[in-house]
Amino acid sequence: MQRYSPAGAVAVVGRSLALAYEKMGVVMLASIALYFAALATFFAVQFSVWGFGLVVVLVGPLWGGLMYVGNLLAHKEDAGLADFVRGYARFWLRSAAIAGLQVAVGIVLYVDIQAIMASKVEWLRYLAGVWAYLAIFAGLVFMYACGVMAEQDVGLRKAIRRSVILILDNLAFTLTIGVFEVVIIALGALPTIGMIAGFKAAGYFMILGLTVVGGMNAIYLNLAAARVLARYDAGRVSDREKLERELQEEQRR
């Protein structure tokens, strides 16, 4: 089985940028829908019970639809707005479940870390570091879970279980992918942060930020998940990919 190295993560980033550029139309429109749903949720209710609920039932399913589009593009298939809507409907419940579980785990870990840091027992504070690593691991699991769901069309339990296996068996590649994921989200969020801070010039980069944090990111995560799953012969192969392989085999003969 081919084991992907951290250098392979760089190739994944480059490929996802190229695919996002090729399909700029659907990537941009789907990213805008996700972005404004998340922004409206934050400004409407911010960090409250209602806000977390809206993240689960609104933002989560939109991300599921975008991940479906990203999976199609990662497998060299055509994708349009109709596919975004189709993915939203098809993965609505599973995407909402993943988002809900992610929010719940995040809240529990945050509360635990705050409680540990507030403790007067010095040795107990060191557990905050363990919880921080646990938070990173949980983030990596959910990162892969969405890709596995789109790639294999499985439920929440199987997506999370397989994500854990993929992470532990491909740790170096996954950690590198995770670092790039943080960078991608940070770069995509910078224009919004600049606008909120009062830098009007940041608005000129809003379109670029939307594309990076939304569509390009969905393609990136799907490429990473598909490549790792291919090691186990568990990845999906599209008709176009089958045709390309057949043509390559013909050329070798």
Side-chain angles (χ1 to χ4, degrees):
M1 292 189 296
Q2 181 180 4
R3 184 176 293 277
Y4 289 102
S5 65
V10 180
V12 172
V13 174
R15 181 60 181 157
S16 59
L17 280 170
L19 287 172
Y21 178 77
E22 290 175 11
K23 292 292 184 179
M24 181 64 71
V26 63
V27 165
M28 178 57 58
L29 291 174
S31 298
I32 288 174
L34 177 69
Y35 175 82
F36 281 105
L39 197 66
T41 298
F42 175 78
F43 281 111
V45 283
Q46 297 188 11
F47 297 105
S48 66
V49 175
W50 292 109
F52 293 131
L54 284 176
V55 168
V56 172
V57 302
L58 179 61
V59 180
L62 284 173
W63 176 245
L66 194 53
M67 286 293 286
Y68 178 68
V69 169
N71 186 261
L72 292 176
L73 296 178
H75 286 284
K76 303 178 181 179
E77 295 176 300
D78 291 329
L81 284 178
D83 297 293
F84 175 63
V85 175
R86 188 178 300 112
Y88 171 83
R90 179 177 179 180
F91 294 107
W92 194 96
L93 185 59
R94 283 174 283 180
S95 298
I98 289 177
L101 190 57
Q102 191 170 5
V103 168
V105 171
I107 292 174
V108 170
L109 289 174
Y110 175 79
V111 171
D112 285 348
I113 290 174
Q114 292 297 314
I116 291 171
M117 291 299 294
S119 175
K120 296 181 180 180
V121 182
E122 187 169 346
W123 67 267
L124 192 60
R125 294 184 205 169
Y126 290 105
L127 289 177
V130 177
W131 256 245
Y133 282 113
L134 184 59
I136 294 173
F137 182 77
L140 292 172
V141 169
F142 289 118
M143 179 187 76
Y144 261 140
C146 293
V148 172
M149 178 190 69
E151 176 76 7
Q152 296 188 320
D153 196 10
V154 295
L156 177 64
R157 183 177 61 84
K158 287 184 178 180
I160 291 177
R161 185 179 65 185
R162 292 173 187 179
S163 297
V164 172
I165 294 172
L166 293 177
I167 289 172
L168 296 178
D169 199 34
N170 303 271
L171 190 57
F173 180 77
T174 300
L175 288 175
T176 308
I177 288 291
V179 171
F180 276 116
E181 173 69 3
V182 172
V183 173
I184 288 170
I185 293 176
L187 290 176
L190 280 177
T192 300
I193 295 173
M195 287 289 289
I196 294 175
F199 298 102
K200 295 182 179 179
Y204 294 112
F205 299 96
M206 187 64 73
I207 292 178
L208 178 62
L210 289 175
T211 305
V212 169
V213 79
M216 180 265 177
N217 196 23
I219 298 170
Y220 167 75
L221 293 177
N222 275 288
L223 279 171
R227 290 194 177 193
V228 174
L229 284 168
R231 287 190 58 222
Y232 309 91
D233 293 325
R236 185 175 70 86
V237 181
S238 67
D239 291 337
R240 186 172 179 179
E241 289 172 320
K242 290 177 182 177
L243 180 59
E244 286 187 358
R245 291 181 184 180
E246 291 175 359
L247 291 174
Q248 289 172 357
E249 290 176 1
E250 286 290 334
Q251 290 175 352
R252 295 192 190 103
R253 294 174 184 175

Short mmCIF file of all heavy atoms in Angstrom, two decimals, residues 12-71:
data_model
loop_
_atom_site.label_atom_id
_atom_site.label_comp_id
_atom_site.label_asym_id
_atom_site.label_seq_id
_atom_site.Cartn_x
_atom_site.Cartn_y
_atom_site.Cartn_z
N VAL A 12 -1.58 18.01 -2.67
CA VAL A 12 -3.03 18.08 -2.48
C VAL A 12 -3.50 19.54 -2.51
O VAL A 12 -4.52 19.87 -3.12
CB VAL A 12 -3.45 17.41 -1.16
CG1 VAL A 12 -4.92 17.65 -0.87
CG2 VAL A 12 -3.17 15.91 -1.22
N VAL A 13 -2.73 20.42 -1.87
CA VAL A 13 -3.09 21.84 -1.86
C VAL A 13 -3.05 22.41 -3.28
O VAL A 13 -3.97 23.11 -3.71
CB VAL A 13 -2.13 22.64 -0.94
CG1 VAL A 13 -2.42 24.14 -1.05
CG2 VAL A 13 -2.27 22.19 0.50
N GLY A 14 -1.98 22.09 -4.01
CA GLY A 14 -1.86 22.59 -5.37
C GLY A 14 -2.98 22.10 -6.27
O GLY A 14 -3.54 22.87 -7.06
N ARG A 15 -3.32 20.82 -6.15
CA ARG A 15 -4.38 20.25 -6.97
C ARG A 15 -5.73 20.87 -6.63
O ARG A 15 -6.55 21.14 -7.52
CB ARG A 15 -4.43 18.73 -6.76
CG ARG A 15 -5.50 18.01 -7.58
CD ARG A 15 -5.30 18.22 -9.04
NE ARG A 15 -6.34 17.55 -9.83
CZ ARG A 15 -6.68 17.90 -11.06
NH1 ARG A 15 -6.05 18.91 -11.66
NH2 ARG A 15 -7.63 17.27 -11.71
N SER A 16 -5.99 21.11 -5.36
CA SER A 16 -7.27 21.70 -4.96
C SER A 16 -7.40 23.13 -5.46
O SER A 16 -8.49 23.57 -5.86
CB SER A 16 -7.43 21.64 -3.44
OG SER A 16 -6.39 22.35 -2.79
N LEU A 17 -6.32 23.87 -5.48
CA LEU A 17 -6.34 25.24 -6.02
C LEU A 17 -6.66 25.22 -7.50
O LEU A 17 -7.45 26.05 -8.00
CB LEU A 17 -4.99 25.92 -5.77
CG LEU A 17 -4.75 26.48 -4.37
CD1 LEU A 17 -3.29 26.90 -4.23
CD2 LEU A 17 -5.66 27.66 -4.09
N ALA A 18 -6.06 24.28 -8.23
CA ALA A 18 -6.31 24.18 -9.67
C ALA A 18 -7.76 23.82 -9.95
O ALA A 18 -8.39 24.40 -10.85
CB ALA A 18 -5.37 23.13 -10.28
N LEU A 19 -8.31 22.88 -9.20
CA LEU A 19 -9.70 22.47 -9.41
C LEU A 19 -10.67 23.60 -9.05
O LEU A 19 -11.69 23.80 -9.73
CB LEU A 19 -10.02 21.23 -8.57
CG LEU A 19 -9.39 19.91 -9.06
CD1 LEU A 19 -9.61 18.81 -8.05
CD2 LEU A 19 -9.98 19.51 -10.41
N ALA A 20 -10.37 24.33 -7.98
CA ALA A 20 -11.22 25.45 -7.58
C ALA A 20 -11.22 26.53 -8.67
O ALA A 20 -12.25 27.16 -8.93
CB ALA A 20 -10.75 26.03 -6.26
N TYR A 21 -10.08 26.74 -9.30
CA TYR A 21 -9.99 27.72 -10.38
C TYR A 21 -10.78 27.27 -11.60
O TYR A 21 -11.47 28.06 -12.24
CB TYR A 21 -8.53 27.96 -10.75
CG TYR A 21 -8.34 28.93 -11.88
CD1 TYR A 21 -8.47 30.31 -11.67
CD2 TYR A 21 -8.05 28.47 -13.16
CE1 TYR A 21 -8.31 31.20 -12.72
CE2 TYR A 21 -7.89 29.37 -14.21
CZ TYR A 21 -8.02 30.73 -13.98
OH TYR A 21 -7.86 31.61 -15.03
N GLU A 22 -10.69 25.97 -11.92
CA GLU A 22 -11.39 25.43 -13.08
C GLU A 22 -12.91 25.53 -12.93
O GLU A 22 -13.63 25.76 -13.90
CB GLU A 22 -10.99 23.97 -13.30
CG GLU A 22 -9.57 23.77 -13.77
CD GLU A 22 -9.19 22.30 -13.86
OE1 GLU A 22 -10.11 21.45 -13.76
OE2 GLU A 22 -7.99 22.00 -14.01
N LYS A 23 -13.39 25.36 -11.71
CA LYS A 23 -14.84 25.38 -11.44
C LYS A 23 -15.21 26.58 -10.56
O LYS A 23 -15.95 26.46 -9.60
CB LYS A 23 -15.26 24.08 -10.76
CG LYS A 23 -15.15 22.86 -11.65
CD LYS A 23 -16.19 22.92 -12.76
CE LYS A 23 -16.16 21.67 -13.61
NZ LYS A 23 -17.18 21.70 -14.67
N MET A 24 -14.67 27.73 -10.93
CA MET A 24 -14.82 28.93 -10.10
C MET A 24 -16.28 29.29 -9.86
O MET A 24 -16.65 29.75 -8.78
CB MET A 24 -14.09 30.09 -10.76
CG MET A 24 -14.15 31.40 -9.97
SD MET A 24 -13.32 31.26 -8.37
CE MET A 24 -11.61 31.20 -8.90
N GLY A 25 -17.14 29.10 -10.86
CA GLY A 25 -18.54 29.51 -10.73
C GLY A 25 -19.27 28.82 -9.59
O GLY A 25 -19.75 29.48 -8.66
N VAL A 26 -19.35 27.49 -9.62
CA VAL A 26 -20.07 26.76 -8.58
C VAL A 26 -19.35 26.86 -7.25
O VAL A 26 -19.99 26.94 -6.19
CB VAL A 26 -20.25 25.27 -8.99
CG1 VAL A 26 -18.91 24.56 -9.15
CG2 VAL A 26 -21.11 24.55 -7.97
N VAL A 27 -18.02 26.88 -7.28
CA VAL A 27 -17.25 27.00 -6.04
C VAL A 27 -17.56 28.32 -5.35
O VAL A 27 -17.78 28.37 -4.13
CB VAL A 27 -15.74 26.87 -6.33
CG1 VAL A 27 -14.91 27.35 -5.15
CG2 VAL A 27 -15.38 25.43 -6.65
N MET A 28 -17.60 29.40 -6.14
CA MET A 28 -17.85 30.72 -5.56
C MET A 28 -19.27 30.84 -5.01
O MET A 28 -19.48 31.28 -3.88
CB MET A 28 -17.61 31.80 -6.62
CG MET A 28 -17.89 33.21 -6.14
SD MET A 28 -16.92 33.64 -4.67
CE MET A 28 -15.28 33.38 -5.32
N LEU A 29 -20.26 30.43 -5.78
CA LEU A 29 -21.66 30.57 -5.34
C LEU A 29 -21.95 29.71 -4.11
O LEU A 29 -22.63 30.15 -3.18
CB LEU A 29 -22.60 30.21 -6.49
CG LEU A 29 -22.60 31.20 -7.67
CD1 LEU A 29 -23.46 30.66 -8.80
CD2 LEU A 29 -23.10 32.57 -7.22
N ALA A 30 -21.44 28.47 -4.10
CA ALA A 30 -21.65 27.60 -2.95
C ALA A 30 -20.93 28.15 -1.72
O ALA A 30 -21.45 28.09 -0.59
CB ALA A 30 -21.17 26.19 -3.26
N SER A 31 -19.74 28.71 -1.92
CA SER A 31 -18.98 29.28 -0.81
C SER A 31 -19.69 30.49 -0.23
O SER A 31 -19.70 30.70 0.98
CB SER A 31 -17.58 29.68 -1.29
OG SER A 31 -16.85 28.56 -1.73
N ILE A 32 -20.28 31.31 -1.10
CA ILE A 32 -21.02 32.50 -0.63
C ILE A 32 -22.21 32.08 0.23
O ILE A 32 -22.48 32.67 1.28
CB ILE A 32 -21.48 33.34 -1.84
CG1 ILE A 32 -20.28 34.04 -2.47
CG2 ILE A 32 -22.52 34.37 -1.41
CD1 ILE A 32 -20.60 34.77 -3.75
N ALA A 33 -22.93 31.04 -0.21
CA ALA A 33 -24.08 30.56 0.56
C ALA A 33 -23.64 30.10 1.95
O ALA A 33 -24.27 30.45 2.96
CB ALA A 33 -24.75 29.40 -0.18
N LEU A 34 -22.56 29.35 2.01
CA LEU A 34 -22.05 28.87 3.30
C LEU A 34 -21.56 30.03 4.16
O LEU A 34 -21.85 30.10 5.36
CB LEU A 34 -20.92 27.87 3.07
CG LEU A 34 -20.23 27.34 4.33
CD1 LEU A 34 -21.17 26.43 5.11
CD2 LEU A 34 -18.96 26.58 3.96
N TYR A 35 -20.85 30.96 3.55
CA TYR A 35 -20.25 32.07 4.28
C TYR A 35 -21.31 32.94 4.94
O TYR A 35 -21.23 33.25 6.14
CB TYR A 35 -19.39 32.90 3.33
CG TYR A 35 -18.82 34.16 3.95
CD1 TYR A 35 -17.67 34.11 4.73
CD2 TYR A 35 -19.44 35.39 3.76
CE1 TYR A 35 -17.14 35.26 5.29
CE2 TYR A 35 -18.92 36.54 4.32
CZ TYR A 35 -17.77 36.47 5.08
OH TYR A 35 -17.26 37.61 5.65
N PHE A 36 -22.32 33.34 4.16
CA PHE A 36 -23.32 34.24 4.72
C PHE A 36 -24.24 33.53 5.72
O PHE A 36 -24.76 34.17 6.64
CB PHE A 36 -24.13 34.88 3.60
CG PHE A 36 -23.42 36.03 2.96
CD1 PHE A 36 -22.85 35.89 1.71
CD2 PHE A 36 -23.29 37.23 3.61
CE1 PHE A 36 -22.17 36.94 1.12
CE2 PHE A 36 -22.61 38.29 3.03
CZ PHE A 36 -22.04 38.14 1.78
N ALA A 37 -24.41 32.22 5.57
CA ALA A 37 -25.16 31.47 6.58
C ALA A 37 -24.40 31.48 7.91
O ALA A 37 -24.99 31.69 8.98
CB ALA A 37 -25.38 30.04 6.11
N ALA A 38 -23.09 31.25 7.83
CA ALA A 38 -22.28 31.26 9.05
C ALA A 38 -22.20 32.66 9.65
O ALA A 38 -22.30 32.83 10.87
CB ALA A 38 -20.88 30.74 8.74
N LEU A 39 -22.04 33.67 8.78
CA LEU A 39 -21.92 35.05 9.27
C LEU A 39 -23.23 35.51 9.90
O LEU A 39 -23.23 36.14 10.96
CB LEU A 39 -21.54 35.97 8.11
CG LEU A 39 -20.99 37.34 8.49
CD1 LEU A 39 -19.65 37.19 9.20
CD2 LEU A 39 -20.81 38.20 7.24
N ALA A 40 -24.35 35.19 9.26
CA ALA A 40 -25.66 35.58 9.80
C ALA A 40 -25.91 34.89 11.14
O ALA A 40 -26.46 35.50 12.07
CB ALA A 40 -26.76 35.21 8.81
N THR A 41 -25.51 33.64 11.23
CA THR A 41 -25.68 32.91 12.49
C THR A 41 -24.89 33.56 13.61
O THR A 41 -25.38 33.75 14.73
CB THR A 41 -25.23 31.45 12.32
OG1 THR A 41 -26.04 30.82 11.33
CG2 THR A 41 -25.35 30.69 13.62
N PHE A 42 -23.65 33.93 13.31
CA PHE A 42 -22.80 34.53 14.35
C PHE A 42 -23.35 35.87 14.82
O PHE A 42 -23.45 36.13 16.02
CB PHE A 42 -21.38 34.70 13.81
CG PHE A 42 -20.46 35.42 14.77
CD1 PHE A 42 -19.92 34.75 15.86
CD2 PHE A 42 -20.16 36.76 14.60
CE1 PHE A 42 -19.08 35.40 16.75
CE2 PHE A 42 -19.33 37.42 15.48
CZ PHE A 42 -18.78 36.74 16.56
N PHE A 43 -23.70 36.75 13.87
CA PHE A 43 -24.15 38.08 14.26
C PHE A 43 -25.56 38.08 14.84
O PHE A 43 -25.92 38.97 15.61
CB PHE A 43 -24.08 39.03 13.06
CG PHE A 43 -22.70 39.52 12.78
CD1 PHE A 43 -22.02 39.11 11.64
CD2 PHE A 43 -22.07 40.39 13.64
CE1 PHE A 43 -20.73 39.56 11.38
CE2 PHE A 43 -20.78 40.84 13.40
CZ PHE A 43 -20.12 40.43 12.26
N ALA A 44 -26.36 37.08 14.48
CA ALA A 44 -27.74 37.04 14.98
C ALA A 44 -27.79 36.57 16.44
O ALA A 44 -28.48 37.17 17.27
CB ALA A 44 -28.59 36.12 14.11
N VAL A 45 -27.08 35.51 16.74
CA VAL A 45 -27.21 34.94 18.08
C VAL A 45 -25.87 34.68 18.75
O VAL A 45 -25.82 34.40 19.94
CB VAL A 45 -28.00 33.60 18.02
CG1 VAL A 45 -29.47 33.85 17.86
CG2 VAL A 45 -27.51 32.74 16.88
N GLN A 46 -24.78 34.78 18.00
CA GLN A 46 -23.42 34.61 18.51
C GLN A 46 -23.30 33.32 19.33
O GLN A 46 -23.88 32.30 18.99
CB GLN A 46 -23.02 35.85 19.30
CG GLN A 46 -22.98 37.10 18.44
CD GLN A 46 -22.40 38.28 19.16
OE1 GLN A 46 -21.84 38.18 20.25
NE2 GLN A 46 -22.54 39.45 18.54
N PHE A 47 -22.52 33.37 20.41
CA PHE A 47 -22.23 32.15 21.15
C PHE A 47 -23.32 31.89 22.19
O PHE A 47 -23.18 32.14 23.38
CB PHE A 47 -20.86 32.24 21.85
CG PHE A 47 -19.74 32.36 20.87
CD1 PHE A 47 -19.10 33.58 20.67
CD2 PHE A 47 -19.32 31.26 20.14
CE1 PHE A 47 -18.06 33.69 19.77
CE2 PHE A 47 -18.28 31.37 19.22
CZ PHE A 47 -17.65 32.59 19.04
N SER A 48 -24.45 31.37 21.71
CA SER A 48 -25.57 31.05 22.59
C SER A 48 -26.12 29.69 22.18
O SER A 48 -25.69 29.09 21.20
CB SER A 48 -26.67 32.11 22.47
OG SER A 48 -27.24 32.08 21.17
N VAL A 49 -27.08 29.22 22.96
CA VAL A 49 -27.70 27.93 22.65
C VAL A 49 -28.35 27.98 21.27
O VAL A 49 -28.23 27.05 20.46
CB VAL A 49 -28.74 27.56 23.72
CG1 VAL A 49 -29.47 26.29 23.33
CG2 VAL A 49 -28.06 27.39 25.07
N TRP A 50 -29.02 29.11 20.97
CA TRP A 50 -29.67 29.24 19.67
C TRP A 50 -28.63 29.30 18.55
O TRP A 50 -28.84 28.76 17.46
CB TRP A 50 -30.52 30.50 19.64
CG TRP A 50 -31.71 30.42 20.55
CD1 TRP A 50 -31.88 31.09 21.72
CD2 TRP A 50 -32.87 29.60 20.38
NE1 TRP A 50 -33.08 30.75 22.30
CE2 TRP A 50 -33.71 29.83 21.50
CE3 TRP A 50 -33.28 28.69 19.41
CZ2 TRP A 50 -34.93 29.19 21.66
CZ3 TRP A 50 -34.50 28.05 19.57
CH2 TRP A 50 -35.30 28.30 20.68
N GLY A 51 -27.50 29.95 18.84
CA GLY A 51 -26.45 30.04 17.83
C GLY A 51 -25.88 28.68 17.48
O GLY A 51 -25.70 28.34 16.31
N PHE A 52 -25.62 27.87 18.50
CA PHE A 52 -25.11 26.52 18.24
C PHE A 52 -26.14 25.68 17.50
O PHE A 52 -25.80 24.86 16.64
CB PHE A 52 -24.73 25.85 19.56
CG PHE A 52 -23.56 26.50 20.25
CD1 PHE A 52 -23.62 26.83 21.60
CD2 PHE A 52 -22.41 26.79 19.55
CE1 PHE A 52 -22.53 27.43 22.23
CE2 PHE A 52 -21.32 27.39 20.17
CZ PHE A 52 -21.39 27.72 21.51
N GLY A 53 -27.40 25.90 17.82
CA GLY A 53 -28.46 25.17 17.12
C GLY A 53 -28.51 25.51 15.64
O GLY A 53 -28.68 24.62 14.79
N LEU A 54 -28.35 26.81 15.32
CA LEU A 54 -28.35 27.22 13.92
C LEU A 54 -27.13 26.69 13.17
O LEU A 54 -27.20 26.37 11.99
CB LEU A 54 -28.39 28.75 13.83
CG LEU A 54 -29.75 29.40 14.10
CD1 LEU A 54 -29.62 30.92 14.06
CD2 LEU A 54 -30.77 28.93 13.07
N VAL A 55 -26.01 26.60 13.87
CA VAL A 55 -24.82 26.01 13.25
C VAL A 55 -25.11 24.58 12.83
O VAL A 55 -24.72 24.13 11.75
CB VAL A 55 -23.62 26.06 14.23
CG1 VAL A 55 -22.47 25.17 13.71
CG2 VAL A 55 -23.14 27.48 14.42
N VAL A 56 -25.83 23.85 13.68
CA VAL A 56 -26.12 22.45 13.42
C VAL A 56 -27.09 22.29 12.26
O VAL A 56 -26.86 21.51 11.34
CB VAL A 56 -26.68 21.77 14.69
CG1 VAL A 56 -27.18 20.35 14.38
CG2 VAL A 56 -25.60 21.71 15.77
N VAL A 57 -28.21 23.03 12.29
CA VAL A 57 -29.28 22.79 11.31
C VAL A 57 -29.13 23.61 10.02
O VAL A 57 -29.76 23.30 9.01
CB VAL A 57 -30.67 23.08 11.93
CG1 VAL A 57 -30.90 22.21 13.15
CG2 VAL A 57 -30.82 24.55 12.28
N LEU A 58 -28.29 24.66 10.04
CA LEU A 58 -28.15 25.51 8.87
C LEU A 58 -26.76 25.41 8.25
O LEU A 58 -26.62 25.04 7.08
CB LEU A 58 -28.44 26.97 9.24
CG LEU A 58 -28.30 28.01 8.12
CD1 LEU A 58 -29.29 27.68 7.00
CD2 LEU A 58 -28.53 29.41 8.66
N VAL A 59 -25.74 25.72 9.02
CA VAL A 59 -24.38 25.74 8.48
C VAL A 59 -23.88 24.34 8.18
O VAL A 59 -23.28 24.10 7.13
CB VAL A 59 -23.43 26.45 9.47
CG1 VAL A 59 -22.01 26.48 8.90
CG2 VAL A 59 -23.92 27.87 9.74
N GLY A 60 -24.14 23.38 9.09
CA GLY A 60 -23.68 22.01 8.89
C GLY A 60 -24.15 21.39 7.58
O GLY A 60 -23.34 20.90 6.79
N PRO A 61 -25.45 21.40 7.29
CA PRO A 61 -25.93 20.83 6.03
C PRO A 61 -25.41 21.55 4.79
O PRO A 61 -25.17 20.92 3.76
CB PRO A 61 -27.45 20.97 6.15
CG PRO A 61 -27.71 20.92 7.61
CD PRO A 61 -26.56 21.67 8.22
N LEU A 62 -25.24 22.88 4.87
CA LEU A 62 -24.66 23.61 3.73
C LEU A 62 -23.23 23.16 3.48
O LEU A 62 -22.79 23.02 2.33
CB LEU A 62 -24.71 25.11 3.98
CG LEU A 62 -26.07 25.79 3.83
CD1 LEU A 62 -26.00 27.24 4.28
CD2 LEU A 62 -26.57 25.71 2.39
N TRP A 63 -22.50 22.92 4.55
CA TRP A 63 -21.14 22.39 4.42
C TRP A 63 -21.18 20.99 3.82
O TRP A 63 -20.32 20.64 3.00
CB TRP A 63 -20.44 22.39 5.76
CG TRP A 63 -19.07 21.78 5.75
CD1 TRP A 63 -18.66 20.65 6.39
CD2 TRP A 63 -17.93 22.27 5.04
NE1 TRP A 63 -17.34 20.40 6.14
CE2 TRP A 63 -16.85 21.38 5.31
CE3 TRP A 63 -17.70 23.36 4.21
CZ2 TRP A 63 -15.58 21.55 4.77
CZ3 TRP A 63 -16.42 23.53 3.67
CH2 TRP A 63 -15.39 22.64 3.95
N GLY A 64 -22.18 20.20 4.18
CA GLY A 64 -22.33 18.87 3.59
C GLY A 64 -22.56 18.94 2.09
O GLY A 64 -22.00 18.15 1.33
N GLY A 65 -23.37 19.90 1.65
CA GLY A 65 -23.59 20.09 0.22
C GLY A 65 -22.33 20.51 -0.50
O GLY A 65 -22.03 20.05 -1.61
N LEU A 66 -21.56 21.38 0.13
CA LEU A 66 -20.31 21.84 -0.47
C LEU A 66 -19.28 20.71 -0.51
O LEU A 66 -18.50 20.59 -1.46
CB LEU A 66 -19.77 23.03 0.33
CG LEU A 66 -18.66 23.85 -0.32
CD1 LEU A 66 -19.06 24.31 -1.71
CD2 LEU A 66 -18.30 25.04 0.55
N MET A 67 -19.27 19.86 0.51
CA MET A 67 -18.36 18.72 0.52
C MET A 67 -18.72 17.73 -0.59
O MET A 67 -17.85 17.09 -1.18
CB MET A 67 -18.40 18.02 1.88
CG MET A 67 -17.69 18.77 2.98
SD MET A 67 -15.89 18.86 2.74
CE MET A 67 -15.41 17.18 3.13
N TYR A 68 -20.01 17.60 -0.88
CA TYR A 68 -20.44 16.73 -1.98
C TYR A 68 -19.92 17.26 -3.31
O TYR A 68 -19.41 16.50 -4.14
CB TYR A 68 -21.97 16.64 -2.00
CG TYR A 68 -22.53 15.80 -3.12
CD1 TYR A 68 -22.33 14.42 -3.14
CD2 TYR A 68 -23.25 16.38 -4.15
CE1 TYR A 68 -22.84 13.65 -4.18
CE2 TYR A 68 -23.78 15.61 -5.18
CZ TYR A 68 -23.56 14.25 -5.19
OH TYR A 68 -24.06 13.48 -6.21
N VAL A 69 -20.02 18.57 -3.51
CA VAL A 69 -19.48 19.19 -4.71
C VAL A 69 -17.96 18.99 -4.77
O VAL A 69 -17.39 18.66 -5.82
CB VAL A 69 -19.82 20.69 -4.75
CG1 VAL A 69 -19.04 21.40 -5.86
CG2 VAL A 69 -21.31 20.89 -4.94
N GLY A 70 -17.30 19.18 -3.63
CA GLY A 70 -15.86 18.99 -3.56
C GLY A 70 -15.45 17.58 -3.90
O GLY A 70 -14.43 17.35 -4.55
N ASN A 71 -16.26 16.61 -3.48
CA ASN A 71 -15.96 15.21 -3.78
C ASN A 71 -16.09 14.92 -5.27
O ASN A 71 -15.27 14.20 -5.85
CB ASN A 71 -16.88 14.30 -2.98
CG ASN A 71 -16.53 12.83 -3.14
OD1 ASN A 71 -17.14 12.11 -3.92
ND2 ASN A 71 -15.52 12.38 -2.41
#
